[in-house]
Amino acid sequence: MALYPFTTAALTSLTAAGTTQSLKVNAQAVSFQVTVSSIGTNVVLRFEGSLDGTNFANLDENANDTTITADGTTIYSLSGTPVEHVRVRLVSLDGGTPTVATVVGAL
């Protein structure tokens, strides 16, 4: 699947630690719309990018993960970081039976 030019696509939902499928975006600006439901205490996410579709790294400039502590929808935007592929990693969850659904937009 590819996104050219700006459009959106849903990634696989996560209910346990692991990663979504990767999405080819070929973009310098990417937004992740994350919706979390049935959260217990928190979920920890990592937004990852790749130049080759095989080797992924944290897109946060300080290599920090993102902790979400309540149900709801939030958008995380990154620009000036050219990548070919993106995905989301559910690093950990604490309590509840959360579902993490993500829609990606790229330009």
Side-chain angles (χ1 to χ4, degrees):
M1 181 185 314
L3 300 177
Y4 309 104
F6 182 81
T7 190
T8 61
L11 299 177
T12 49
S13 292
L14 297 169
T15 57
T19 63
T20 64
Q21 88 278 18
S22 66
L23 180 67
K24 186 168 184 174
V25 294
N26 192 24
Q28 292 189 20
V30 180
S31 292
F32 297 87
Q33 177 180 289
V34 177
T35 301
V36 179
S37 59
S38 301
I39 200 167
T41 303
N42 66 53
V43 295
V44 178
L45 302 178
R46 180 178 303 143
F47 303 106
E48 297 181 336
S50 172
L51 297 177
D52 61 13
T54 301
N55 301 293
F56 285 81
N58 193 332
L59 287 173
D60 184 272
E61 65 185 29
N62 297 312
N64 292 323
D65 294 333
T66 300
T67 300
I68 300 173
T69 59
D71 289 345
T73 300
T74 308
I75 293 179
Y76 301 91
S77 297
L78 302 162
S79 62
T81 306
V83 293
E84 288 270 338
H85 306 266
V86 295
R87 69 183 185 188
V88 175
R89 177 179 300 277
L90 176 51
V91 176
S92 66
L93 54 95
D94 186 9
T97 54
T99 298
V100 179
T102 305
V103 175
V104 174
L107 179 64

Coordinates of all heavy atoms in Angstrom, one line a residue:
M1 N 0.8 -1.2 0.0 CA 0.0 0.0 0.0 C 0.9 1.2 0.0 O 1.9 1.3 0.7 CB -0.9 0.0 1.2 CG -1.8 1.1 1.3 SD -2.8 1.3 2.9 CE -3.4 -0.4 3.1
A2 N 0.5 2.3 -0.7 CA 1.3 3.5 -0.8 C 0.4 4.7 -0.7 O -0.8 4.6 -1.1 CB 2.1 3.5 -2.1
L3 N 0.9 5.8 -0.3 CA 0.2 7.1 -0.1 C 0.8 8.2 -1.0 O 1.9 8.6 -0.6 CB 0.1 7.5 1.3 CG -0.5 6.6 2.3 CD1 -0.4 7.2 3.7 CD2 -2.0 6.4 2.0
Y4 N 0.3 8.5 -2.1 CA 0.8 9.6 -2.9 C -0.3 10.4 -3.5 O -1.2 9.8 -4.2 CB 1.7 9.1 -4.1 CG 2.7 8.1 -3.7 CD1 2.6 6.8 -3.9 CD2 3.9 8.5 -3.1 CE1 3.6 5.9 -3.6 CE2 4.9 7.6 -2.8 CZ 4.7 6.3 -3.0 OH 5.7 5.4 -2.7
P5 N -0.5 11.7 -3.5 CA 0.1 12.6 -2.5 C -0.6 12.4 -1.2 O -1.0 11.3 -0.9 CB -0.1 14.0 -3.2 CG -1.3 13.8 -4.0 CD -1.3 12.4 -4.5
F6 N -0.9 13.5 -0.5 CA -1.5 13.4 0.8 C -2.8 12.6 0.8 O -3.7 12.9 0.0 CB -1.8 14.8 1.5 CG -2.3 14.7 2.9 CD1 -1.5 14.4 3.9 CD2 -3.7 14.7 3.1 CE1 -2.0 14.3 5.2 CE2 -4.2 14.6 4.4 CZ -3.3 14.4 5.4
T7 N -2.9 11.7 1.6 CA -4.1 10.9 1.8 C -3.9 10.2 3.2 O -2.9 10.3 3.9 CB -4.3 9.9 0.7 OG1 -5.6 9.3 0.8 CG2 -3.3 8.8 0.6
T8 N -4.9 9.4 3.6 CA -4.8 8.7 4.8 C -5.0 7.2 4.6 O -5.7 6.8 3.7 CB -5.8 9.2 5.9 OG1 -7.1 9.0 5.3 CG2 -5.6 10.7 6.1
A9 N -4.5 6.4 5.6 CA -4.7 5.0 5.6 C -4.7 4.5 7.0 O -3.9 5.0 7.8 CB -3.7 4.3 4.7
A10 N -5.5 3.5 7.3 CA -5.5 2.9 8.6 C -4.5 1.8 8.7 O -4.3 1.0 7.8 CB -6.9 2.3 8.9
L11 N -3.8 1.7 9.9 CA -2.9 0.6 10.2 C -3.7 -0.4 11.0 O -4.8 -0.2 11.5 CB -1.7 1.1 11.0 CG -0.8 2.2 10.4 CD1 0.2 2.6 11.4 CD2 -0.2 1.7 9.1
T12 N -3.1 -1.6 11.1 CA -3.7 -2.7 11.9 C -3.8 -2.2 13.3 O -2.9 -1.5 13.8 CB -2.9 -4.0 11.8 OG1 -1.6 -3.7 12.1 CG2 -3.0 -4.6 10.5
S13 N -4.9 -2.6 14.0 CA -5.1 -2.2 15.4 C -4.2 -3.1 16.3 O -4.0 -4.3 15.9 CB -6.6 -2.4 15.8 OG -7.3 -1.4 15.2
L14 N -3.8 -2.6 17.4 CA -2.9 -3.3 18.3 C -3.7 -3.6 19.6 O -4.3 -2.7 20.2 CB -1.6 -2.6 18.6 CG -0.7 -2.4 17.4 CD1 0.4 -1.4 17.7 CD2 -0.1 -3.7 16.9
T15 N -3.6 -4.8 20.1 CA -4.2 -5.1 21.4 C -3.2 -5.8 22.4 O -3.5 -6.1 23.5 CB -5.4 -6.1 21.3 OG1 -4.9 -7.3 20.6 CG2 -6.5 -5.4 20.5
A16 N -1.9 -6.0 21.9 CA -0.8 -6.5 22.6 C 0.4 -5.9 22.1 O 0.5 -5.3 21.0 CB -0.8 -8.1 22.5
A17 N 1.5 -6.1 22.9 CA 2.8 -5.5 22.4 C 3.2 -6.1 21.1 O 2.9 -7.3 20.8 CB 3.9 -5.9 23.5
G18 N 3.7 -5.2 20.2 CA 4.1 -5.6 18.9 C 3.9 -4.4 17.9 O 3.8 -3.3 18.4
T19 N 4.0 -4.7 16.6 CA 3.9 -3.6 15.7 C 2.8 -3.8 14.7 O 2.3 -4.9 14.4 CB 5.2 -3.5 14.8 OG1 5.4 -4.7 14.1 CG2 6.4 -3.3 15.7
T20 N 2.3 -2.6 14.1 CA 1.4 -2.6 13.0 C 2.1 -3.1 11.8 O 3.4 -3.2 11.8 CB 0.8 -1.2 12.8 OG1 1.9 -0.4 12.4 CG2 0.1 -0.7 14.0
Q21 N 1.4 -3.3 10.7 CA 2.1 -3.5 9.4 C 2.8 -2.1 9.1 O 2.4 -1.1 9.6 CB 1.1 -3.9 8.3 CG 0.4 -2.8 7.6 CD -0.8 -2.2 8.3 OE1 -1.0 -2.3 9.5 NE2 -1.6 -1.5 7.5
S22 N 3.7 -2.2 8.2 CA 4.4 -0.9 7.8 C 3.6 -0.4 6.6 O 2.9 -1.1 5.9 CB 5.8 -1.1 7.4 OG 6.0 -2.0 6.3
L23 N 3.7 0.9 6.4 CA 3.0 1.6 5.3 C 4.0 2.4 4.6 O 4.7 3.2 5.2 CB 1.9 2.5 5.9 CG 1.0 3.3 5.0 CD1 0.2 2.4 4.1 CD2 0.2 4.3 5.7
K24 N 4.0 2.3 3.2 CA 4.9 3.1 2.4 C 4.3 4.4 2.2 O 3.2 4.6 1.7 CB 5.2 2.4 1.1 CG 6.2 3.1 0.3 CD 6.7 2.3 -0.9 CE 7.8 3.1 -1.6 NZ 8.4 2.4 -2.7
V25 N 5.0 5.5 2.7 CA 4.5 6.8 2.6 C 5.4 7.7 1.7 O 4.9 8.7 1.2 CB 4.4 7.5 4.0 CG1 3.3 6.7 4.8 CG2 5.7 7.5 4.8
N26 N 6.7 7.5 1.7 CA 7.6 8.4 0.9 C 7.3 9.8 1.1 O 6.9 10.6 0.3 CB 7.4 8.0 -0.6 CG 8.5 8.7 -1.4 OD1 9.6 9.0 -0.9 ND2 8.3 8.9 -2.7
A27 N 7.5 10.2 2.4 CA 7.0 11.6 2.8 C 8.0 12.2 3.8 O 8.9 11.6 4.4 CB 5.7 11.5 3.5
Q28 N 7.9 13.5 3.9 CA 8.7 14.3 4.9 C 7.8 14.8 6.0 O 8.4 15.3 7.0 CB 9.4 15.5 4.2 CG 10.4 15.0 3.2 CD 11.3 16.2 2.8 OE1 11.3 17.3 3.4 NE2 11.9 16.0 1.6
A29 N 6.5 14.7 5.9 CA 5.6 15.1 7.0 C 4.6 14.0 7.1 O 3.9 13.6 6.2 CB 4.9 16.4 6.6
V30 N 4.5 13.4 8.4 CA 3.6 12.3 8.7 C 2.9 12.6 10.0 O 3.4 13.1 10.9 CB 4.4 11.0 8.9 CG1 3.5 9.9 9.2 CG2 5.3 10.7 7.7
S31 N 1.6 12.3 9.9 CA 0.7 12.5 11.1 C 0.2 11.1 11.5 O -0.2 10.3 10.6 CB -0.4 13.4 10.9 OG 0.1 14.8 10.8
F32 N 0.2 10.8 12.8 CA -0.4 9.6 13.3 C -1.6 10.0 14.2 O -1.5 10.6 15.2 CB 0.6 8.8 14.2 CG 1.8 8.4 13.5 CD1 2.9 9.2 13.4 CD2 1.9 7.1 13.0 CE1 4.1 8.8 12.7 CE2 3.0 6.6 12.3 CZ 4.1 7.5 12.2
Q33 N -2.8 9.6 13.7 CA -4.0 9.8 14.5 C -4.2 8.5 15.3 O -4.6 7.5 14.8 CB -5.2 10.1 13.7 CG -6.5 10.2 14.4 CD -7.7 10.5 13.5 OE1 -7.7 11.6 13.0 NE2 -8.6 9.5 13.4
V34 N -4.1 8.6 16.6 CA -4.1 7.4 17.5 C -5.4 7.4 18.4 O -5.6 8.4 19.1 CB -2.9 7.3 18.4 CG1 -2.9 6.1 19.4 CG2 -1.6 7.3 17.6
T35 N -6.2 6.4 18.3 CA -7.3 6.3 19.2 C -7.2 5.1 20.1 O -6.9 3.9 19.6 CB -8.6 6.1 18.3 OG1 -8.7 7.2 17.4 CG2 -9.8 5.9 19.2
V36 N -7.2 5.3 21.4 CA -7.1 4.3 22.4 C -8.4 4.1 23.1 O -9.0 5.0 23.5 CB -6.0 4.6 23.4 CG1 -5.8 3.5 24.4 CG2 -4.6 4.9 22.7
S37 N -8.8 2.8 23.3 CA -10.0 2.5 24.0 C -9.7 1.4 25.0 O -8.8 0.6 24.8 CB -11.2 2.1 23.1 OG -10.8 1.0 22.3
S38 N -10.5 1.4 26.1 CA -10.4 0.3 27.1 C -9.0 0.3 27.8 O -8.5 -0.7 28.2 CB -10.7 -1.1 26.6 OG -12.0 -1.1 26.0
I39 N -8.5 1.5 28.0 CA -7.2 1.6 28.6 C -7.3 1.3 30.1 O -8.3 1.6 30.7 CB -6.5 3.0 28.4 CG1 -5.0 3.0 28.6 CG2 -7.2 4.1 29.3 CD1 -4.4 4.3 28.0
G40 N -6.2 0.7 30.7 CA -6.2 0.5 32.1 C -5.5 1.7 32.7 O -6.0 2.7 32.9
T41 N -4.2 1.5 32.9 CA -3.3 2.6 33.5 C -2.7 3.4 32.3 O -2.8 4.6 32.3 CB -2.3 2.1 34.4 OG1 -2.9 1.3 35.4 CG2 -1.4 3.2 35.0
N42 N -2.0 2.7 31.4 CA -1.4 3.4 30.3 C -1.0 2.4 29.2 O -1.0 1.2 29.4 CB -0.2 4.2 30.7 CG 1.0 3.4 31.2 OD1 1.4 2.5 30.6 ND2 1.5 3.7 32.4
V43 N -0.7 3.0 28.0 CA -0.1 2.3 26.9 C 1.1 3.1 26.5 O 1.1 4.4 26.6 CB -1.0 2.0 25.7 CG1 -2.1 1.1 26.1 CG2 -1.5 3.3 25.1
V44 N 2.2 2.5 26.1 CA 3.4 3.2 25.6 C 3.6 2.8 24.1 O 3.7 1.6 23.8 CB 4.7 2.7 26.4 CG1 5.9 3.4 25.9 CG2 4.4 3.1 27.9
L45 N 3.7 3.9 23.3 CA 3.8 3.7 21.9 C 5.1 4.3 21.4 O 5.7 5.2 22.0 CB 2.7 4.4 21.1 CG 1.3 4.1 21.5 CD1 0.3 4.9 20.7 CD2 1.0 2.6 21.2
R46 N 5.6 3.7 20.3 CA 6.8 4.2 19.6 C 6.4 4.4 18.1 O 5.9 3.5 17.5 CB 7.9 3.3 19.7 CG 9.2 3.8 19.0 CD 10.4 2.8 19.2 NE 10.6 2.6 20.6 CZ 11.0 1.5 21.2 NH1 11.1 0.4 20.5 NH2 11.1 1.4 22.5
F47 N 6.6 5.6 17.6 CA 6.3 5.9 16.1 C 7.6 5.6 15.4 O 8.7 6.2 15.7 CB 5.9 7.3 15.9 CG 4.6 7.6 16.7 CD1 4.7 8.3 17.9 CD2 3.4 7.0 16.4 CE1 3.5 8.6 18.6 CE2 2.2 7.3 17.1 CZ 2.3 8.0 18.2
E48 N 7.6 4.7 14.5 CA 8.8 4.2 13.8 C 8.8 4.5 12.3 O 7.8 4.5 11.7 CB 9.0 2.7 14.0 CG 9.2 2.3 15.5 CD 9.4 0.8 15.7 OE1 9.0 0.0 14.8 OE2 10.0 0.5 16.7
G49 N 10.0 4.8 11.8 CA 10.2 5.0 10.4 C 11.4 4.2 9.8 O 12.2 3.7 10.6
S50 N 11.4 4.1 8.5 CA 12.4 3.3 7.8 C 12.7 3.9 6.4 O 11.7 4.4 5.8 CB 12.0 1.8 7.7 OG 12.9 1.1 6.9
L51 N 13.9 3.7 6.0 CA 14.2 4.1 4.6 C 14.2 2.9 3.7 O 14.0 3.1 2.5 CB 15.6 4.7 4.6 CG 15.8 6.0 5.4 CD1 17.3 6.5 5.3 CD2 14.9 7.1 4.9
D52 N 14.3 1.7 4.2 CA 14.3 0.5 3.4 C 13.1 -0.5 3.6 O 13.0 -1.5 2.9 CB 15.6 -0.2 3.5 CG 15.9 -0.7 4.9 OD1 15.0 -0.7 5.8 OD2 17.0 -1.1 5.2
G53 N 12.3 -0.2 4.6 CA 11.1 -1.1 4.8 C 11.5 -2.3 5.7 O 10.6 -3.1 6.0
T54 N 12.7 -2.4 6.1 CA 13.2 -3.5 6.9 C 13.7 -3.1 8.2 O 13.4 -3.7 9.2 CB 14.3 -4.3 6.1 OG1 13.8 -4.8 4.9 CG2 14.8 -5.5 6.9
N55 N 14.6 -2.1 8.2 CA 15.2 -1.6 9.5 C 14.5 -0.3 9.9 O 14.5 0.7 9.3 CB 16.7 -1.3 9.2 CG 17.4 -2.5 8.7 OD1 17.6 -3.4 9.5 ND2 17.8 -2.5 7.5
F56 N 13.8 -0.4 11.1 CA 13.0 0.7 11.6 C 13.6 1.3 12.8 O 14.3 0.6 13.6 CB 11.6 0.2 12.0 CG 10.7 -0.1 10.8 CD1 10.8 -1.2 10.0 CD2 9.8 0.9 10.4 CE1 10.0 -1.4 8.9 CE2 9.0 0.7 9.3 CZ 9.1 -0.5 8.5
A57 N 13.4 2.6 13.0 CA 14.0 3.3 14.2 C 12.9 4.3 14.7 O 12.0 4.6 14.0 CB 15.2 4.1 13.8
N58 N 13.1 4.7 15.9 CA 12.2 5.6 16.6 C 12.2 7.0 15.9 O 13.3 7.5 15.6 CB 12.6 5.8 18.1 CG 11.6 6.5 18.9 OD1 10.8 7.3 18.4 ND2 11.6 6.2 20.2
L59 N 11.1 7.5 15.5 CA 11.1 8.8 14.8 C 11.2 10.0 15.7 O 11.4 11.1 15.3 CB 9.8 8.9 14.0 CG 9.7 8.1 12.7 CD1 8.3 8.2 12.1 CD2 10.7 8.5 11.7
D60 N 11.1 9.8 17.0 CA 11.2 10.9 18.0 C 12.7 11.3 18.0 O 13.6 10.5 18.1 CB 10.8 10.5 19.4 CG 10.9 11.6 20.3 OD1 12.0 11.8 20.9 OD2 9.9 12.4 20.5
E61 N 13.0 12.6 17.8 CA 14.3 13.1 17.7 C 15.2 12.8 19.0 O 16.4 12.7 18.9 CB 14.4 14.6 17.5 CG 13.8 15.5 18.6 CD 13.8 16.9 18.2 OE1 13.7 17.3 17.0 OE2 13.9 17.7 19.1
N62 N 14.5 12.5 20.1 CA 15.3 12.2 21.3 C 15.1 10.7 21.7 O 15.5 10.3 22.8 CB 14.8 13.0 22.5 CG 15.0 14.5 22.3 OD1 16.1 14.9 21.9 ND2 14.0 15.3 22.5
A63 N 14.5 9.9 20.7 CA 14.3 8.5 20.9 C 13.4 8.2 22.1 O 13.5 7.1 22.7 CB 15.6 7.7 21.0
N64 N 12.5 9.1 22.4 CA 11.5 8.9 23.5 C 10.3 8.2 23.0 O 9.9 8.3 21.8 CB 11.1 10.2 24.1 CG 12.2 10.9 24.8 OD1 13.0 10.2 25.5 ND2 12.3 12.2 24.7
D65 N 9.7 7.3 23.8 CA 8.4 6.7 23.5 C 7.3 7.6 24.0 O 7.5 8.5 24.8 CB 8.3 5.3 24.2 CG 9.3 4.3 23.6 OD1 9.7 4.5 22.4 OD2 9.7 3.4 24.3
T66 N 6.1 7.4 23.6 CA 4.9 8.2 23.9 C 4.0 7.4 24.8 O 3.6 6.3 24.5 CB 4.1 8.6 22.6 OG1 5.0 9.3 21.8 CG2 2.9 9.4 23.0
T67 N 3.7 7.9 26.0 CA 2.8 7.3 27.0 C 1.4 7.9 26.9 O 1.3 9.2 27.0 CB 3.4 7.4 28.4 OG1 4.7 6.8 28.4 CG2 2.5 6.7 29.4
I68 N 0.4 7.1 26.8 CA -1.0 7.6 26.8 C -1.7 7.0 28.0 O -1.5 5.8 28.3 CB -1.7 7.1 25.5 CG1 -1.0 7.7 24.3 CG2 -3.2 7.5 25.5 CD1 -1.5 7.2 22.9
T69 N -2.4 7.9 28.7 CA -2.9 7.5 30.0 C -4.5 7.5 30.1 O -5.1 7.2 31.1 CB -2.4 8.3 31.2 OG1 -2.7 9.7 30.9 CG2 -0.9 8.2 31.3
A70 N -5.1 7.8 28.9 CA -6.6 7.9 28.9 C -7.1 7.5 27.6 O -6.4 7.7 26.6 CB -7.1 9.3 29.3
D71 N -8.3 7.0 27.5 CA -9.0 6.7 26.3 C -9.2 8.0 25.5 O -9.4 9.1 26.1 CB -10.4 6.1 26.5 CG -10.3 4.7 27.0 OD1 -9.3 4.0 26.9 OD2 -11.4 4.2 27.5
G72 N -9.2 7.9 24.2 CA -9.4 9.1 23.4 C -8.6 9.1 22.1 O -7.9 8.1 21.8
T73 N -8.7 10.2 21.3 CA -8.0 10.3 20.1 C -7.0 11.5 20.1 O -7.4 12.6 20.6 CB -9.0 10.5 18.9 OG1 -9.8 9.4 18.8 CG2 -8.2 10.7 17.6
T74 N -5.8 11.2 19.7 CA -4.8 12.3 19.7 C -4.0 12.2 18.4 O -3.8 11.1 17.8 CB -3.7 12.1 20.8 OG1 -4.5 12.0 22.1 CG2 -2.8 13.3 20.9
I75 N -3.5 13.3 17.8 CA -2.7 13.3 16.6 C -1.3 13.7 17.0 O -1.1 14.7 17.7 CB -3.3 14.3 15.6 CG1 -4.7 13.7 15.1 CG2 -2.3 14.4 14.4 CD1 -5.3 14.6 14.0
Y76 N -0.4 12.9 16.5 CA 1.1 13.2 16.7 C 1.6 13.5 15.3 O 1.5 12.7 14.4 CB 1.8 12.0 17.3 CG 1.2 11.6 18.6 CD1 0.1 10.7 18.7 CD2 1.6 12.3 19.8 CE1 -0.4 10.4 20.0 CE2 1.1 12.0 21.0 CZ 0.0 11.0 21.1 OH -0.5 10.7 22.3
S77 N 2.3 14.6 15.1 CA 2.8 15.0 13.8 C 4.3 15.2 13.8 O 4.8 15.7 14.8 CB 2.1 16.4 13.3 OG 0.7 16.2 13.2
L78 N 4.9 14.8 12.7 CA 6.3 14.9 12.5 C 6.6 15.5 11.2 O 5.9 15.2 10.2 CB 7.0 13.5 12.5 CG 6.7 12.7 13.8 CD1 7.0 11.2 13.6 CD2 7.6 13.2 14.9
S79 N 7.6 16.4 11.1 CA 7.9 17.0 9.8 C 9.4 17.1 9.7 O 10.1 17.1 10.8 CB 7.2 18.3 9.6 OG 7.7 19.2 10.6
G80 N 9.9 17.2 8.5 CA 11.4 17.3 8.3 C 12.1 16.0 8.6 O 13.3 16.0 8.8
T81 N 11.4 14.9 8.5 CA 12.0 13.6 8.7 C 11.6 12.7 7.6 O 10.6 12.0 7.6 CB 11.5 13.0 10.1 OG1 11.7 13.9 11.1 CG2 12.2 11.7 10.3
P82 N 12.4 12.8 6.5 CA 12.0 12.0 5.3 C 12.1 10.5 5.5 O 13.2 10.0 6.0 CB 13.0 12.5 4.2 CG 14.1 13.1 4.9 CD 13.6 13.6 6.2
V83 N 11.0 9.8 5.3 CA 11.0 8.4 5.5 C 10.2 7.7 4.3 O 9.4 8.4 3.7 CB 10.4 7.9 6.8 CG1 11.3 8.3 8.0 CG2 9.0 8.5 7.0
E84 N 10.5 6.5 4.0 CA 9.8 5.7 3.0 C 8.6 4.9 3.6 O 7.6 4.7 3.0 CB 10.7 4.8 2.3 CG 11.7 5.4 1.4 CD 11.1 5.6 0.0 OE1 10.2 4.8 -0.4 OE2 11.6 6.5 -0.8
H85 N 8.8 4.4 4.9 CA 7.9 3.5 5.5 C 7.7 4.0 7.0 O 8.6 4.4 7.6 CB 8.4 2.1 5.5 CG 8.8 1.6 4.2 ND1 7.9 0.9 3.4 CD2 9.9 1.7 3.5 CE1 8.5 0.6 2.2 NE2 9.7 1.1 2.3
V86 N 6.4 3.8 7.5 CA 6.2 4.1 8.9 C 5.4 2.9 9.5 O 4.7 2.1 8.8 CB 5.4 5.4 9.1 CG1 6.2 6.6 8.7 CG2 4.0 5.4 8.4
R87 N 5.4 2.8 10.8 CA 4.6 1.9 11.6 C 4.5 2.4 13.0 O 5.2 3.3 13.4 CB 5.1 0.5 11.5 CG 6.4 0.3 12.2 CD 7.0 -1.1 12.1 NE 8.1 -1.3 12.9 CZ 8.9 -2.4 12.8 NH1 8.6 -3.4 11.9 NH2 10.0 -2.5 13.6
V88 N 3.6 1.7 13.8 CA 3.5 2.0 15.2 C 3.9 0.8 16.0 O 3.4 -0.3 15.6 CB 2.1 2.5 15.6 CG1 2.0 2.7 17.1 CG2 1.8 3.8 14.8
R89 N 4.6 0.9 17.1 CA 5.0 -0.2 18.0 C 4.3 0.1 19.3 O 4.4 1.1 19.9 CB 6.5 -0.3 18.2 CG 6.9 -1.4 19.2 CD 8.4 -1.5 19.4 NE 9.1 -1.8 18.1 CZ 9.2 -3.0 17.6 NH1 8.7 -4.0 18.2 NH2 9.9 -3.2 16.5
L90 N 3.5 -0.9 19.7 CA 3.0 -0.9 21.1 C 4.0 -1.5 22.0 O 4.3 -2.7 21.9 CB 1.6 -1.7 21.2 CG 1.0 -1.8 22.6 CD1 0.9 -0.5 23.3 CD2 -0.3 -2.5 22.5
V91 N 4.7 -0.7 22.7 CA 5.9 -1.1 23.5 C 5.4 -1.9 24.7 O 5.9 -2.9 25.1 CB 6.8 0.1 23.9 CG1 7.9 -0.3 24.8 CG2 7.3 0.8 22.7
S92 N 4.4 -1.3 25.4 CA 3.9 -1.9 26.7 C 2.5 -1.4 27.0 O 2.1 -0.3 26.5 CB 4.8 -1.7 27.8 OG 4.9 -0.3 28.2
L93 N 1.8 -2.2 27.8 CA 0.5 -1.7 28.3 C 0.4 -2.1 29.7 O 1.0 -3.1 30.2 CB -0.7 -2.3 27.5 CG -0.7 -3.8 27.3 CD1 -1.6 -4.5 28.4 CD2 -1.2 -4.2 25.9
D94 N -0.3 -1.3 30.5 CA -0.5 -1.6 31.9 C -1.9 -1.5 32.3 O -2.6 -0.5 32.3 CB 0.3 -0.5 32.7 CG 0.3 -0.8 34.2 OD1 -0.1 -1.9 34.6 OD2 0.8 0.1 35.0
G95 N -2.5 -2.7 32.5 CA -3.9 -2.8 32.9 C -4.9 -2.7 31.7 O -4.6 -2.2 30.7
G96 N -6.1 -3.1 32.0 CA -7.2 -3.0 31.0 C -6.9 -4.0 29.8 O -6.0 -4.8 29.8
T97 N -7.8 -3.8 28.8 CA -7.6 -4.6 27.6 C -7.7 -3.6 26.4 O -8.6 -3.5 25.7 CB -8.8 -5.6 27.4 OG1 -10.0 -4.9 27.6 CG2 -8.7 -6.7 28.5
P98 N -6.7 -2.7 26.3 CA -6.7 -1.6 25.4 C -6.6 -2.1 23.9 O -6.0 -3.1 23.6 CB -5.5 -0.8 25.7 CG -4.6 -1.7 26.4 CD -5.4 -2.7 27.1
T99 N -7.2 -1.3 23.1 CA -7.1 -1.4 21.6 C -6.5 0.0 21.2 O -7.0 1.0 21.5 CB -8.4 -1.6 20.9 OG1 -8.9 -2.9 21.4 CG2 -8.3 -1.7 19.4
V100 N -5.5 -0.1 20.3 CA -4.8 1.1 19.8 C -5.1 1.1 18.3 O -4.5 0.2 17.6 CB -3.3 1.1 20.1 CG1 -2.7 2.3 19.5 CG2 -3.1 1.1 21.6
A101 N -5.8 2.0 17.8 CA -6.1 2.1 16.4 C -5.4 3.4 15.8 O -5.5 4.4 16.4 CB -7.6 2.2 16.1
T102 N -4.8 3.2 14.7 CA -4.0 4.3 14.1 C -4.4 4.6 12.7 O -4.4 3.6 11.9 CB -2.5 4.1 14.2 OG1 -2.2 3.8 15.6 CG2 -1.7 5.3 13.8
V103 N -4.5 5.9 12.3 CA -4.7 6.3 10.9 C -3.5 7.2 10.6 O -3.1 8.0 11.4 CB -6.0 7.1 10.7 CG1 -6.1 7.6 9.3 CG2 -7.2 6.2 11.0
V104 N -2.8 6.9 9.5 CA -1.6 7.7 9.1 C -2.0 8.6 7.9 O -2.7 8.2 7.0 CB -0.5 6.8 8.7 CG1 0.7 7.5 8.1 CG2 0.0 5.9 9.8
G105 N -1.5 9.9 8.0 CA -1.6 10.8 6.9 C -0.2 11.2 6.6 O 0.6 11.4 7.5
A106 N 0.1 11.4 5.3 CA 1.5 11.7 4.9 C 1.5 12.7 3.7 O 0.5 12.7 2.9 CB 2.2 10.4 4.5
L107 N 2.5 13.5 3.7 CA 2.6 14.5 2.6 C 4.1 14.6 2.2 O 5.0 14.6 3.1 CB 2.2 15.9 3.1 CG 2.3 17.1 2.2 CD1 1.4 16.8 1.0 CD2 1.9 18.3 2.9

